[in-house]
Amino acid sequence: MTNEKSPVRLTAVDKPGQPLVSPELEELYRGFEKEMLVPLWIEISGLMPQHPQSKAQPHLWRWNDILPLAERSGDLVPVGRGGERRAIALANPSLGGRPFVSPTLWAAIQYLMPGENAPEHRHTQHAFRFVVEGEGVWTVVGRDPVPMRRGDFLPQAGWNWHAHHNATESPMAWIDGLDIPFQYETESQFFEFGRDEISDAERTTPERSRSQMLWGHPGLTPIGAIPAAPGTPLLSYRWEHTDQALSDQLELERLGFDGVVEPGHAAVRFTNPIGGGDVLPTIRAEFHRIRRGAETAPRREVGSSVYQVFDGSGVISVGTEKWSVGRGDLFVVPSWQEFTAKSEAGSTDSDSGGLDLFRFSDAPIFEALNLHRASN
Ligand code: 1HN
């Protein structure tokens, strides 16, 4: 018999490491249930596994399947106050249908129709946008309109006011990454509505943001500027710089010099121009380019990552899963599951001659707490 009223349910079992089953033991367990107590000897293996046992599972979302649904949402769902954003989250199949791609990370496809405005607000969640195709939206962060174009990475630390507007005749899609599940589980979130309409001055479409004019020059820190918030003051990392950095690494390798992380694999991390750390307090972002035919060494890491294929094609394996991937596809690598990427010619029509992968992860959380480990 269990204690019907208690959410604690304890079963005496005849197993090594467990006490001898007896009516007295059952009686003790009913006492624990009544007093809301759980003994460690029943729980230990689940609470303290020998290595991370991710609740999340590896999963792939194909761009060609999810983009049409975002487009359809553009027809059917208005964007405005209340819903705030036409953002559609990737839900990890083993996280109970919650809009969580991993236990710490949120990833969504967002869609904005011609002329539309997503209203201003701010929240403690740290966020970024990444653009896999298209252009024409300006994200207005702290009243600074920032253009968004293919390949651009746009981080935006928590508590910055932000709105988006599409200034063109075409709809635009991009992906958002945030630390929503982390802040949800740790009960640390705050949110505020901003103005319903941004001013005409903010609805302009400058080629470069004020942030980029101030902070976007490699190795040059403006002496007169005081960054207000945590996280990077540079609000956009332009594709032409990322692309050049990656192709230069592979060119150096071809010429016989050092610089790549492993053979045929160039990689860069997006960093804060102040101090060189991660762009956001809870989120790390990187770009990887794998030369055609090359494969990364198997790797495990504490914490979860989400990747989007920016260009090219290849084969990805995560834990026991294996997928052929192409442009726009998104997948999640749960904590401590083995990951490899192989660059391979595929059937995608556009192909850079390699596999280009955008990656974000929750590594800064674990590094800050001395909990980060990687297998190589
Ligand atoms: C948000 O503010 C954005 O600003 C995207 O684009 C996704 C998901 C939940 C809460 C706020 C954005 C979001 C979000």
Side-chain angles (χ1 to χ4, degrees), residues 85 87 106 108 110 121 123 129 156 162 164 174 176 178 180 191:
R85 300 291 184 262
W106 160 291
Q110 185 167 165
H121 63 211
H123 39 72
R129 338 255 156 243
Q156 179 217 292
H162 58 286
H164 317 305
W174 65 89
D176 296 302
L178 293 93
I180 293 173
F191 178 94

Side-chain angles (χ1 to χ4, degrees), residues 255-329:
L255 296 170
F257 296 102
D258 291 343
V260 289
V261 277
E262 59 185 336
H265 177 185
V268 289
R269 184 168 296 163
F270 296 99
T271 52
N272 187 331
I274 305 166
D278 285 296
V279 280
L280 296 169
T282 52
I283 297 177
R284 170 165 296 168
E286 299 173 349
F287 215 107
H288 296 254
R289 174 169 292 167
I290 304 160
R291 200 196 284 285
R292 176 69 75 241
E295 181 167 13
T296 64
R299 187 181 159 87
R300 294 170 196 268
E301 195 172 325
V302 168
S304 46
S305 295
V306 177
Y307 288 77
Q308 185 171 35
V309 179
F310 181 69
D311 205 358
S313 53
V315 177
I316 301 297
S317 71
V318 183
T320 55
E321 296 290 326
K322 199 172 193 145
W323 311 291
S324 288
V325 296
R327 191 196 265 211
D329 293 350

